[in-house]
Amino acid sequence: MNDTFNIKRFGWVFKKSVLERPTLMLGLMLVTLVITLLTYAIVQSMAGIAKAQVSAFVFGFLVGGSFMSSSALGYFSSNSSGTSFLMLPASHLEKWLCAVLISGVIYAAIYLGFFRLVDVFFVNNYYQGLDPNSPNYQNLYHSVEVFGFNNEIAKNIFVIFFNISGAMLLGSLYFNKVSYIKVALLVCTLVIFTYFANLLIAGLFFNHIDMAIPFKSIFLKVGSAIGIVDLPEGVNSAISFLISYVIPGTLWLTALIRLKEKEM
């Protein structure tokens, strides 16, 4: 195994990673796209386009992305495949970059492109179904628009995607068997613990708490109304930076370190 980076060898490793498991990679991608389309169509028929956009994007992008990340370095379910992967004449950096490229770049690009096509189709279909002579035509027309990847909802989903993908990639190097399920259980446990710990701490300072969003806001019952207490702007910015960049970056880089350890 060579510890130096070589672009030609990287290309060979990437090609091998994709062609060696085409059924798994293409199958995951195809299933994700089909589920996204079905989710969009079903939710749109029941609750409208706005909810369909968010539901399909969250479910397809996050679930599909987590499976892809878990599979990118998922060679260690058996000793033979794990040993074969570790013995490839390539550096750990090249192998790690292949996984990053597959799960964090190529998957995301294909999914976002497909979602945009689906979204444009349904939105245009909605526009065509409107009556231009209706007095509410303008309001109805402008009430629906193509889902923007730069809006606040999309940005939050992207942050969750990179955190979950990093956790799945790292988990596949620590858990040889059913790594996806084990990491999913750990993530769910952490989320539940964080929520209730945050609720408990908030209860020490406030009464009549309606809901508490970890690291963001506390909703208080004030008579028949709901009041919101947000974190100070500086603290909120620091936490946002931590969740958006530090934690996912740490997860992805730790996967590189773990892969290097497995090769030793």
Side-chain angles (χ1 to χ4, degrees), residues 15-136:
K15 183 178 179 180
K16 186 178 187 303
S17 299
V18 174
L19 297 181
E20 191 174 54
R21 301 180 296 171
T23 303
L24 176 63
M25 295 296 179
L26 295 178
L28 278 175
M29 193 77 244
L30 181 60
V31 169
T32 299
L33 299 183
V34 170
I35 289 177
T36 297
L37 177 60
L38 292 176
T39 301
Y40 197 120
I42 293 172
V43 177
Q44 184 269 336
S45 65
M46 298 173 60
I49 287 183
K51 291 184 178 179
Q53 290 171 327
V54 176
S55 299
F57 191 62
V58 168
F59 187 75
F61 193 48
L62 297 185
V63 175
S66 63
F67 271 109
M68 189 65 72
S69 296
S70 181
S71 303
L73 289 176
Y75 293 91
F76 302 99
S77 57
S78 68
N79 291 332
S80 58
S81 62
T83 302
S84 177
F85 176 73
L86 292 175
M87 293 303 294
L88 286 176
S91 68
H92 58 277
L93 177 60
E94 291 161 355
K95 297 171 185 176
W96 176 80
L97 282 176
C98 285
V100 171
L101 190 60
I102 291 171
S103 59
V105 179
I106 295 177
Y107 167 80
I110 293 175
Y111 183 86
L112 294 178
F114 176 80
F115 182 86
R116 174 65 78 225
L117 291 176
V118 171
D119 193 29
V120 168
F121 171 80
F122 277 99
V123 170
N124 286 337
N125 187 60
Y126 168 82
Y127 289 156
Q128 292 173 5
L130 296 176
D131 181 8
N133 299 317
S134 171
N136 292 325

Side-chain angles (χ1 to χ4, degrees), residues 150-179:
N150 61 341
N151 63 39
E152 197 63 29
I153 294 176
K155 290 178 181 178
N156 289 332
I157 294 173
F158 287 136
V159 169
I160 296 172
F161 168 79
F162 284 110
N163 276 279
I164 291 180
S165 296
M168 287 296 174
L169 189 69
L170 180 60
S172 67
L173 295 172
Y174 275 99
F175 304 115
N176 294 342
K177 302 291 185 180
V178 291
S179 64

